[in-house]
């Protein structure tokens, strides 16, 4: 009976203390794509993704009912860091859904004006608000509605103590007329949160490496906690002892989850689901290094192919630079390229299930071949060049010395001054299944078959390569067909032999392709990148670092006259590829099964323009 009454009392007090409007809630998942486009259109950093922000404590004075209910201790505010624009997962502050939706748009505009300057919270948000209203006049009406609705919800200064009232009055003036308040008065409590502004003290994110050279040595598949929320983090020292749990008071057991070992690199917990559940409930992570050898490292090393079982090394030791976006410097000789090729791949015929499609594509691509043209003034040929002969006769009769060396013409086939290199992503993710019958690597293999069959019909010079990496040394590049090789049954055998590799150091692969294409004499050079995901690797290359390095590599290729173009089957490709390759430099294939047929046709469109 006591438990039932307590439950009813809790529900009643929680409902009375409720200051939200869940019936008018707007969720970030419904606007994520729109907000990403809007943020970039406003001039925001194109390398940032849009993610949900975690709730943080605000330490402001709460009402009596809220204190009794134990609610309203945390709030979700927006902020941006080097990786993402973080917005509230749900906004239900206002009774009108349109206002909650407008708040998302206003926060995106506000964050687009933020360039990361370190200034006091009140001053910074006033300047950002003023700048956003000046830059985007269409937001002024939205801001006025949001401001008026929020001011009606804020505490009445007359009900507050003097110091808190002065603080509240300053915030109200700053909201009404941004830029007019110089400083925030000091009070005994923190001010009530301002959801129309960016976070006063965003949670710090803890990364896995202390220094660029301290790289994660684990190669096991880590089951990372990713619920779309950001959490506070701190770095601490590894506790002494065996890590066992010793309790005297039984209620201490309730807090064990705050100290659960959630090892991102080792995954040696016996119950991973239990560890993940504990991690999801944490609001703050404590991260440390224990430096102990773990089984997953040994397992990864055993999975590496031995020299006897690996592909033949064609070239080893090529060093390429890499862009460090944090320090805005190019790190020279940072990545080592290892070029390999399959030595024992048997020559094979085209797979039967592709023969019909290949025949159709060859017929279409033969139309891309330049028309046969007459070459005049040749030393030899199939016919006499009448114009050259008449000119020769006239010169002789007029007494001029004339030679009859170039009196023929010949009908010959023209040639397209074009070279294309296709670089296929052979990372570990290509081992995943599209359906119950095909893996991603199978689709890539079929795409290479049909691409090569189609281009061989045009006579265009082309090369086929694949790549994967295990950190910056080595980046493995698989040579399937070089430019100076003819496409043959041996080439098909090498395509059949490709298999999933490791990770995706995309910038190094683009720079390697850049060097190969620069050696080609063609006037037009096309780089096709075939991928199934974002740039990533075991070390710091994961995240923004890899994205920025890839973008820099694409820019370098374009500056040298190469045309880079990305073809991806990643459903989220539209979120990051415009930043990497530009709005017209990529295409997303939403049905991976269609990639083998669409890739040659895409090449035909690119080279016809």
């Amino acid at each position: 009976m006591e438990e039932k009454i307590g439950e009813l009392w809790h529900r009643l007090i929680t409902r009375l203390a409720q200051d939200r409007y869940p019936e008018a809630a707007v969720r970030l998942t419904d606007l994520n794509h729109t907000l990403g486009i809007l943020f970039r259109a406003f001039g925001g950093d194109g390398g940032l993704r849009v993610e949900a922000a975690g709730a943080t404590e605000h330490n402001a004075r709460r009402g009596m009912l809220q204190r009794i209910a134990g609610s309203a201790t945390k709030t979700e505010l927006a902020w941006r860091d080097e990786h993402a624009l973080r917005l509230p997962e749900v906004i239900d502050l206002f009774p009108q859904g349109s206002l909650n939706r407008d708040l998302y748009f206003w926060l995106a505009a506000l964050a687009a004006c933020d360039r990361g300057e370190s200034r006091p919270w009140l001053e910074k948000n006033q300047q950002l608000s003023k700048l956003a209203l000046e830059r985007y006049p269409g937001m002024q009406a939205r801001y006025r509605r949001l401001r008026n609705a929020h001011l009606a919800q804020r505490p009445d200064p007359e009900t507050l103590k003097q110091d808190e009232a002065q603080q509240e009055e300053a915030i109200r003036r700053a909201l009404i007329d941004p830029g007019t308040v110089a400083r925030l008065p000091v009070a005994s409590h923190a001010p009530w949160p301002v959801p129309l502004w960016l976070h006063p003290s965003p949670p710090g994110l803890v990364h896995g490496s202390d220094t660029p050279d301290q790289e994660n040595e684990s190669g096991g598949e880590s089951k990372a906690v990713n619920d779309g929320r950001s959490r506070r983090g701190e770095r601490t020292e590894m506790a002494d002892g065996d890590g066992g749990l010793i309790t005297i008071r039984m209620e201490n057991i309730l807090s064990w989850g705050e100290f659960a070992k959630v090892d991102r690199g080792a995954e040696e917990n016996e119950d991973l689901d239990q560890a993940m559940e504990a991690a999801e409930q944490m609001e703050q992570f404590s991260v440390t290094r224990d430096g102990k050898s773990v089984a997953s490292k040994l397992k990864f090393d055993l999975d590496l192919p031995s020299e006897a079982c690996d592909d033949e090394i064609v070239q080893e030791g090529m060093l390429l630079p890499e862009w460090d976006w944090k320090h805005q410097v190019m790190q020279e000789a940072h990545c080592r390229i290892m070029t390999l090729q399959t030595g024992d791949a048997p020559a094979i015929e085209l797979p039967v299930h592709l023969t019909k499609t290949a025949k159709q594509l060859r017929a279409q691509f033969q139309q891309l071949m330049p028309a046969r043209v007459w070459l005049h003034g040749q030393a030899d040929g199939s016919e006499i060049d009448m114009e050259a002969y008449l000119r020769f006769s006239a010169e002789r009769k007029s007494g001029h010395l004339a030679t009859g060396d170039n009196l023929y013409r010949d009908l010959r086939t023209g040639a397209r001054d074009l070279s294309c290199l296709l670089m296929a992503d052979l990372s570990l993710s290509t081992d995943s299944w599209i359906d119950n019958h095909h893996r991603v690597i199978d689709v890539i293999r079929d795409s290479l078959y049909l691409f090569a069959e189609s281009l061989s019909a045009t006579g265009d010079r082309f090369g086929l390569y694949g790549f994967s990496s295990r950190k910056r040394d080595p980046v493995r590049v698989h040579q399937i067909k070089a430019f100076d090789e003819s496409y043959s049954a041996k080439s098909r055998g090498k395509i059949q032999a490709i298999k999933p590799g490791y990770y995706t150091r995309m910038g190094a692969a683009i720079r390697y392709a850049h060097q190969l294409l620069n050696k080609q004499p063609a006037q037009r050079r096309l780089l096709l990148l075939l991928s199934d995901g974002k740039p990533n690797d075991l070390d710091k290359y994961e995240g923004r670092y890899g994205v920025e390095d890839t973008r820099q590599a694409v820019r370098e290729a374009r500056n040298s006259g190469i045309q880079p173009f990305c073809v991806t089957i990643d459903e989220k490709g539209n979120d990051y590829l415009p930043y990497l390759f530009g709005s017209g430099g990529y295409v997303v294939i939403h049905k991976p099964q269609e990639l083998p047929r669409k890739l040659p046709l895409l090449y035909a469109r690119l080279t016809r323009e």
Side-chain angles (χ1 to χ4, degrees):
M1 178 62 70
E2 291 180 3
E3 182 178 352
K4 187 66 175 177
I5 293 176
E7 183 180 347
L8 293 174
W9 170 255
H10 175 71
R11 290 180 180 176
L12 174 63
I13 292 298
T14 302
R15 185 163 57 249
L16 292 175
Q18 178 66 264
D19 58 352
R20 299 297 181 100
Y21 303 90
E23 67 279 359
V26 177
R27 297 191 171 276
L28 179 61
T29 52
D30 299 330
L31 296 175
N32 193 295
H33 185 64
T34 302
L35 290 170
I37 295 175
L38 187 68
F39 175 69
R40 296 175 182 90
F42 281 153
D45 190 339
L48 300 182
R49 56 187 183 271
V50 178
E51 291 189 353
T56 54
E57 295 183 1
H58 55 73
N59 298 320
R61 186 183 294 277
R62 296 177 293 155
M64 182 182 66
L65 287 177
Q66 291 174 336
R67 294 198 299 271
I68 294 175
S71 62
T73 61
K74 298 180 180 180
T75 186
E76 291 184 349
L77 298 174
W79 75 90
R80 53 163 291 180
D81 53 32
E82 62 186 30
H83 298 289
L85 165 61
R86 305 186 188 275
L87 300 173
E89 187 175 7
V90 58
I91 294 182
D92 54 0
L93 297 173
F94 306 111
Q96 298 86 18
S98 59
L99 282 176
N100 293 321
R101 182 184 177 91
D102 285 347
L103 181 53
Y104 270 124
F105 296 149
W106 167 250
L107 292 174
L110 200 67
C113 298
D114 185 12
R115 292 296 178 261
E117 299 92 344
S118 179
R119 287 181 292 175
W121 170 65
L122 183 71
E123 176 189 348
K124 179 175 182 177
N125 279 285
Q126 286 186 93
Q127 293 300 322
L128 291 179
S129 299
K130 187 176 181 180
L131 190 59
L133 293 172
E134 291 174 354
R135 285 185 179 178
Y136 323 120
M139 298 299 296
Q140 293 179 2
R142 276 193 173 97
Y143 178 74
R144 285 195 297 269
R145 291 195 299 268
L146 290 168
R147 178 197 63 195
N148 295 337
H150 176 58
L151 289 174
Q153 294 177 336
R154 293 192 65 81
D156 186 351
E158 295 183 359
T159 65
L160 302 176
K161 296 181 179 180
Q162 183 178 1
D163 58 345
E164 295 178 21
Q166 292 175 351
Q167 191 177 66
E168 178 62 26
E169 288 286 359
I171 292 177
R172 284 174 172 267
R173 290 198 304 272
L175 284 167
I176 294 172
D177 191 3
T180 58
V181 181
R183 56 181 292 274
L184 185 68
V186 179
S188 56
H189 278 77
W192 190 254
V194 185
L196 275 65
W197 289 351
L198 301 184
H199 202 299
S201 179
L205 300 180
V206 176
H207 303 287
S209 297
D210 293 329
T211 65
D213 293 331
Q214 271 186 303
E215 297 170 335
N216 179 13
E217 293 291 339
S218 170
E221 292 276 342
S222 60
K223 191 175 182 181
V225 177
N226 183 10
D227 57 5
R229 295 186 291 126
S230 177
R231 295 174 172 81
R232 288 187 178 273
E234 66 173 3
R235 191 172 298 281
T236 185
E237 297 298 325
M238 191 67 182
D240 295 330
D242 59 1
L245 179 66
I246 302 177
T247 62
I248 298 176
R249 299 172 59 188
M250 292 303 293
E251 57 266 29
N252 289 349
I253 295 178
L254 299 177
S255 66
W256 79 274
E258 299 300 321
F259 303 95
K261 183 176 182 181
V262 185
D263 193 338
R264 183 174 183 265
E267 277 199 13
E268 55 189 11
N269 301 293
E270 294 182 359
D271 191 343
L272 293 178
D273 292 334
Q274 187 177 9
M276 176 172 285
E277 183 179 354
E280 289 175 346
Q281 295 173 358
M282 292 183 189
E283 292 299 335
Q284 177 167 312
F285 286 155
S286 296
V287 182
T288 186
R289 290 182 180 276
D290 58 10
K292 295 180 180 179
S293 178
V294 292
S296 58
K297 175 185 176 182
L298 178 61
K299 178 180 179 182
F300 189 93
D301 289 341
L302 290 176
D303 286 342
L304 284 172
S306 64
E307 185 175 350
C309 300
D310 203 359
D311 293 339
E312 294 180 358
I313 297 177
V314 177
Q315 182 182 11
E316 186 177 16
M318 177 188 288
L319 298 177
L320 293 176
E322 189 168 272
W323 176 250
D324 185 340
W325 74 279
K326 283 189 176 181
H327 299 94
Q328 295 292 297
V329 296
M330 186 67 74
Q331 305 170 92
E332 299 297 334
H334 192 71
C335 298
R336 184 173 69 90
I337 302 295
M338 178 187 293
T339 309
L340 309 106
Q341 68 176 0
T342 304
D344 56 352
I348 64 171
E349 297 297 324
L350 186 68
V352 177
H353 69 281
L354 297 176
T355 53
K356 182 178 179 181
T357 305
K359 183 177 180 181
Q360 295 172 348
L361 288 172
R362 279 195 296 267
Q364 289 178 273
F365 271 68
Q366 284 175 352
Q367 300 176 11
L368 296 177
M369 295 181 64
R372 300 180 71 188
V373 295
W374 286 103
L375 298 181
H376 296 270
Q378 303 297 309
D380 56 54
S382 59
E383 295 183 6
I384 296 177
D385 186 345
M386 296 304 297
E387 290 184 5
Y389 180 77
L390 291 174
R391 188 165 49 250
F392 166 73
S393 300
E395 289 177 351
R396 286 191 63 180
K397 288 183 178 181
S398 63
H400 292 87
L401 180 62
T403 60
D405 295 337
N406 302 309
L407 302 179
Y408 298 90
R409 68 173 187 167
D410 196 23
L411 186 62
R412 299 177 187 175
T413 302
R416 301 206 306 173
D417 195 10
L418 171 69
S419 291
C420 175
L421 189 149
L422 189 148
M423 183 69 77
D425 175 7
L426 302 181
S427 60
L428 191 62
S429 58
T430 60
D431 198 28
S432 59
W433 290 83
I434 297 173
D435 49 37
N436 295 328
H437 306 288
H438 300 91
R439 295 181 301 165
V440 174
I441 192 67
D442 298 328
V443 173
I444 292 177
R445 190 178 289 118
D446 288 351
S447 301
L448 294 179
Y449 280 133
L450 294 181
F451 184 80
E453 292 286 333
S454 301
L455 265 66
S456 62
T458 65
D460 292 346
R461 289 175 58 82
F462 69 97
L464 301 177
Y465 290 79
F467 76 96
S468 70
S469 62
R470 184 177 180 265
K471 298 186 287 190
R472 61 187 177 93
D473 185 4
V475 178
R476 298 162 61 91
V477 176
H478 296 265
Q479 178 179 298
I480 302 170
K481 178 197 171 297
F483 281 101
D484 55 358
E485 296 178 11
S486 60
Y487 178 66
S488 62
K490 187 68 175 178
S491 305
R492 289 191 287 268
K494 291 181 180 180
I495 294 175
Q496 182 62 35
I498 64 172
K499 54 186 179 293
Y502 303 103
Y503 298 91
T504 314
R505 210 172 195 94
M506 196 174 288
I510 293 175
R511 290 188 178 94
Y512 179 79
H514 179 179
Q515 290 198 5
L516 289 180
L517 282 168
N518 272 345
K519 297 176 183 178
Q520 300 305 309
Q523 183 177 1
R524 186 176 181 188
R525 293 161 291 164
L526 174 64
L527 169 58
L528 281 180
L529 187 69
L530 185 57
S531 178
D532 70 334
K534 293 179 68 173
N536 77 296
D537 209 329
L538 283 171
D539 52 12
K540 60 182 180 179
Y541 205 80
E542 183 176 6
R544 184 72 184 275
Y545 182 100
V547 168
E548 292 293 341
D549 176 59
T550 301
R551 185 170 186 248
Q552 179 68 19
V554 171
R555 186 184 294 117
E556 294 166 10
R558 282 209 176 100
N559 291 340
S560 68
I562 294 172
Q563 180 186 359
F565 193 91
C566 182
V567 183
T568 185
I569 57 175
D570 183 8
E571 295 180 352
K572 298 181 179 180
N574 287 314
D575 295 338
Y576 60 89
L577 287 176
Y579 183 70
L580 296 181
F581 292 88
S583 58
Y586 75 98
V587 66
V588 178
I589 307 297
H590 295 285
K591 295 182 179 180
Q593 298 90 333
E594 298 178 357
L595 176 63
R597 183 176 181 86
K598 285 190 174 183
L599 182 62
L601 299 177
L602 176 65
Y603 172 83
R605 179 173 63 83
L606 289 173
T607 56
R608 186 182 291 118
E609 293 175 352

